[in-house]
Amino acid sequence: MTFRFVSGRRCLDFAGTVRHRGSPASEELLTHPERLSDWAVQAGLVDTAIDVTDSDLAAAIELREAIYRSVMARLEQRRPKPGDVNLLNERACQRQLTLRLQRTGFARREGTTAQLLATLAADLLDLLAGADIEYVKRCVDPGCTRLFIDSSRAKNRQWCGIKCGNRAKVEAFRARQRASARSEQPAIHN
Ligand SMILES: [Zn+2]
């Protein structure tokens, strides 16, 4: 499957691997270990597939939820859960994905799932330590809920990407059509 990378930060893109969070339509995208490897390759964090076991996937999902909860806590000006703080600190200080120079002279991005998780945890800590955290938003599309960094100059972006923005425009257009159809009706029916 093709993952979307619209958040402006890998840790936030990773949090977006659950669609429609908090709704009955909630959809887990990391349904099996290979999906995590695919995500890492598509994210550009590794050059080739990595080995992922079932327990690696469970650890990845645990970290992902800690990332999501901690960002939401910050957005809502709450303290993060102590368990999430411990997990993120533990992961972030481990060995991260590395570049390795090959004998051919080419360098490759490679590593293990543990290194991938360390990289993502460290990316979140870096985000929380910097200025960009002030511009993190949650997409206003009620079905989307994706976290993203608003990099627009006016800081007035509401949607994570073109897809959600266009959907909102189409819905607003339909609502206007329905409203104008209703305002024309009374003369006919009365
Ligand atoms: Zn969205």
Side-chain angles (χ1 to χ4, degrees):
M1 77 173 296
T2 308
F3 291 96
R4 283 179 73 201
F5 296 91
V6 294
S7 295
R9 197 81 192 211
R10 287 298 175 254
C11 61
L12 300 181
D13 283 319
F14 188 53
T17 56
V18 177
R19 295 178 66 201
H20 317 297
R21 276 179 184 275
S23 90
S26 171
E27 185 188 354
E28 172 62 74
L29 301 182
L30 302 179
T31 46
H32 45 265
E34 299 79 52
R35 286 267 179 102
L36 178 62
S37 172
D38 292 347
W39 183 86
V41 172
Q42 289 177 33
L45 292 170
V46 288
D47 286 326
T48 48
I50 52 173
D51 285 329
V52 183
T53 64
D54 285 335
S55 66
D56 287 339
L57 180 63
I61 288 174
E62 188 188 18
L63 178 74
R64 181 191 66 192
E65 296 312 298
I67 290 174
Y68 183 79
R69 280 192 298 265
S70 301
V71 174
M72 285 309 295
R74 179 72 180 252
L75 296 190
E76 293 167 357
Q77 296 175 336
R78 288 183 283 108
R79 280 170 181 252
K81 283 175 141 191
D84 290 345
V85 171
N86 291 343
L87 178 67
L88 288 162
N89 279 332
E90 228 168 74
R91 285 285 177 192
C93 69
Q94 284 166 22
R95 190 161 170 253
Q96 297 179 29
L97 294 169
T98 51
L99 278 161
R100 181 176 286 272
L101 184 62
Q102 312 289 303
R103 288 181 184 277
T104 56
F106 289 91
R108 296 189 64 77
R109 291 178 177 79
E110 55 185 44
T112 61
T113 306
Q115 285 174 271
L116 169 69
L117 300 189
T119 296
L120 290 167
D123 186 45
L124 174 71
L125 267 52
D126 185 58
L127 172 66
L128 292 170
D132 279 352
I133 186 65
E134 304 304 331
Y135 307 118
V136 172
K137 294 179 178 176
R138 194 160 77 147
C139 182
V140 294
D141 183 319
C144 178
T145 69
R146 194 180 281 271
L147 297 167
F148 67 95
I149 295 173
D150 182 357
S151 53
S152 68
R153 192 174 293 197
K155 303 294 176 213
N156 58 358
R157 220 175 114 190
Q158 291 180 285
W159 296 283
C160 68
I162 294 166
K163 242 178 158 177
C164 285
N166 283 347
R167 189 159 53 235
K169 277 178 203 149
V170 168
E171 272 160 25
F173 175 73
R174 287 200 186 125
R176 277 198 303 275
Q177 277 190 321
R178 281 195 298 272
S180 72
R182 269 200 302 275
S183 68
E184 282 162 15
Q185 273 169 8
I188 302 162
H189 294 293
N190 284 347

